[in-house]
Amino acid sequence: MASHRRPKQPSRARVTVLTTAAAAAVALSSQAANAAPSEKPSKDEVKAKVDKLYEEAEQATEKFNGAKEKQEKLQKEISTIQDNVARGQDELNELRDSMGLAAAAQYRSGGVDPSLQLFLSSNPDDYLDKASTADQLSAQQVEALKKIQEKQRELAQERSEASEKLKDLASTRTELGKKKQQVQTKLSEARTLYNSLTAAEKAKLEAEQERASRDSGREVLGSGTAASGRAGAAYAWAQSQLGKPYVYGATGMSSYDCSGLTSRAYAAAGVGIPRTSEAQSTIGTKIYSQSQLQVGDLVFFFNDLHHVGLYAGNGQIIHAPRTGTVVRYESMGTIGGPFMFGVRV
């Protein structure tokens, strides 16, 4: 007969040893994890991350500028339409008053024409479609009624157009708010990351940037000729703005963003160009070879064309780079994105 022996239970001492060993293993594991905290990123790593955030902020800035420009354009168009409607309403009132005077004259001479009386009490649109009514009116009255009809149609169309533009304006304002928030979020993240550096690290970075700008300025001296008189004038004006800070959405005179500087520079030269970098890229003559660029040409960077500057000669540009910097000279090779093409205005 087979024996059915119960398995031997571990002794209390053995359980205690196993429990103690497990606890020790957990403690050692925890100590090991705590003993190897993530290392603080280096100055160069922080700079790379900050530069990336600023690039994303500039992308959002150009979209913000586009929405702002659209908003301003819509506001002007709506104002023009509203002025037209007001003038049109005055003209309509004058036409109606003239019909009223005709009715008064008829009344004094012995009564108001039934068809004219009918018009004065309601809308004339239905009446001219009825031959019997038209037959009872004089040619002058028919012409006056037609003018009133036409003016009413114009006003209805203009009011409808204004209504649609007001809806578009509301949508654009919402988009503008979102783009502004995107810019502010990126800038806030960049500032927080930059502030994680020590004072010495910040000073070193600033010194490096200032030295690079000085070197670029020396490279520019005596190099290149302007593409045209107006390009030369735009470039000379941009030089007068060196040292002024970058501020997103700014067009001067105390601060600029990238396209704000270029649009103001050409305005100073008597040439109106669009506000945003993307729109500026659609004007003038495109120049794809860097060797063909001349001083004062617009130069565009990154695949989405969100950055623009003015060519300064010898592979250098003058531009408003990003938040935390000023209008300065810089080598095209250090912009952070590829040169796409130039535009000769």
Side-chain angles (χ1 to χ4, degrees), residues 40-345:
K40 179 183 176 182
S42 69
K43 170 179 68 70
D44 291 338
E45 288 173 333
V46 169
K47 180 181 182 302
K49 291 178 181 177
V50 168
D51 287 347
K52 180 62 177 174
L53 285 168
Y54 278 139
E55 179 193 332
E56 292 170 354
E58 190 178 34
Q59 285 177 302
T61 294
E62 285 303 295
K63 294 186 185 304
F64 167 84
N65 290 338
K68 186 177 180 182
E69 187 177 41
K70 182 179 179 182
Q71 178 191 35
E72 292 169 353
K73 181 181 178 182
L74 283 169
Q75 286 174 328
K76 289 179 182 177
E77 289 175 350
I78 290 168
S79 179
T80 299
I81 292 172
Q82 288 174 334
D83 288 344
N84 290 341
V85 168
R87 284 194 295 271
Q89 188 63 55
D90 288 342
E91 293 174 13
L92 180 60
N93 291 340
E94 288 177 6
L95 288 169
R96 284 173 169 165
D97 287 346
S98 67
M99 292 294 286
L101 290 173
Q106 286 189 10
Y107 178 79
R108 286 193 298 272
S109 63
V112 179
D113 188 296
S115 59
L116 186 57
Q117 186 176 26
L118 185 62
F119 158 70
L120 290 171
S121 65
S122 185
N123 190 303
D125 284 349
D126 293 336
Y127 307 144
L128 285 180
D129 296 330
K130 301 175 182 177
S132 59
T133 301
D135 289 344
Q136 298 175 35
L137 297 174
S138 69
Q140 185 177 6
Q141 290 170 337
V142 168
E143 187 62 30
L145 280 173
K146 285 182 177 179
K147 287 182 179 179
I148 288 174
Q149 282 184 309
E150 183 60 32
K151 184 56 64 176
Q152 285 175 324
R153 291 192 200 99
E154 288 178 9
L155 287 174
Q157 184 175 350
E158 288 178 331
R159 287 190 176 110
S160 175
E161 185 180 354
S163 177
E164 290 302 312
K165 287 189 181 293
L166 284 168
K167 291 178 185 177
D168 197 2
L169 179 60
S171 175
T172 300
R173 281 176 172 159
T174 300
E175 181 187 4
L176 190 63
K178 290 179 180 177
K179 299 304 180 189
K180 184 176 182 179
Q181 184 59 49
Q182 288 175 5
V183 175
Q184 291 173 333
T185 298
K186 294 297 180 182
L187 293 180
S188 178
E189 291 174 5
R191 281 192 294 267
T192 299
L193 191 56
Y194 182 76
N195 288 334
S196 70
L197 295 173
T198 65
E201 288 172 329
K202 291 178 185 177
K204 188 173 182 180
L205 275 179
E206 290 168 5
E208 289 172 355
Q209 291 174 354
E210 187 176 345
R211 183 167 56 252
S213 183
R214 282 199 308 269
D215 291 344
S216 292
R218 282 194 291 269
E219 291 286 336
V220 166
L221 292 175
S223 65
T225 57
S228 66
R230 57 191 184 184
Y235 174 70
W237 185 90
Q239 285 181 302
S240 73
Q241 305 305 299
L242 285 167
K244 292 186 177 181
Y246 178 103
V247 173
Y248 83 88
T251 59
M253 294 286 293
S254 59
S255 57
Y256 302 90
D257 62 20
C258 71
S259 57
L261 176 68
T262 51
S263 61
R264 180 57 74 95
Y266 267 95
V271 183
I273 65 174
R275 167 66 178 91
T276 66
S277 59
E278 185 177 358
Q280 289 175 16
S281 73
T282 65
I283 64 173
T285 303
K286 285 186 172 57
I287 301 160
Y288 291 96
S289 173
Q290 185 174 328
S291 64
Q292 298 300 311
L293 291 172
Q294 294 183 33
V295 173
D297 286 339
L298 296 170
V299 281
F300 297 87
F301 299 86
F302 299 96
N303 292 330
D304 62 355
L305 309 175
H306 71 258
H307 190 70
V308 62
L310 291 170
Y311 189 62
N314 203 24
Q316 312 295 313
I317 68 168
I318 184 170
H319 68 150
R322 56 174 176 74
T323 298
T325 65
V326 297
V327 176
R328 68 189 188 194
Y329 294 110
E330 191 164 353
S331 168
M332 291 174 67
T334 63
I335 299 303
F339 164 70
M340 303 307 294
F341 54 80
V343 164
R344 188 157 296 157
V345 179

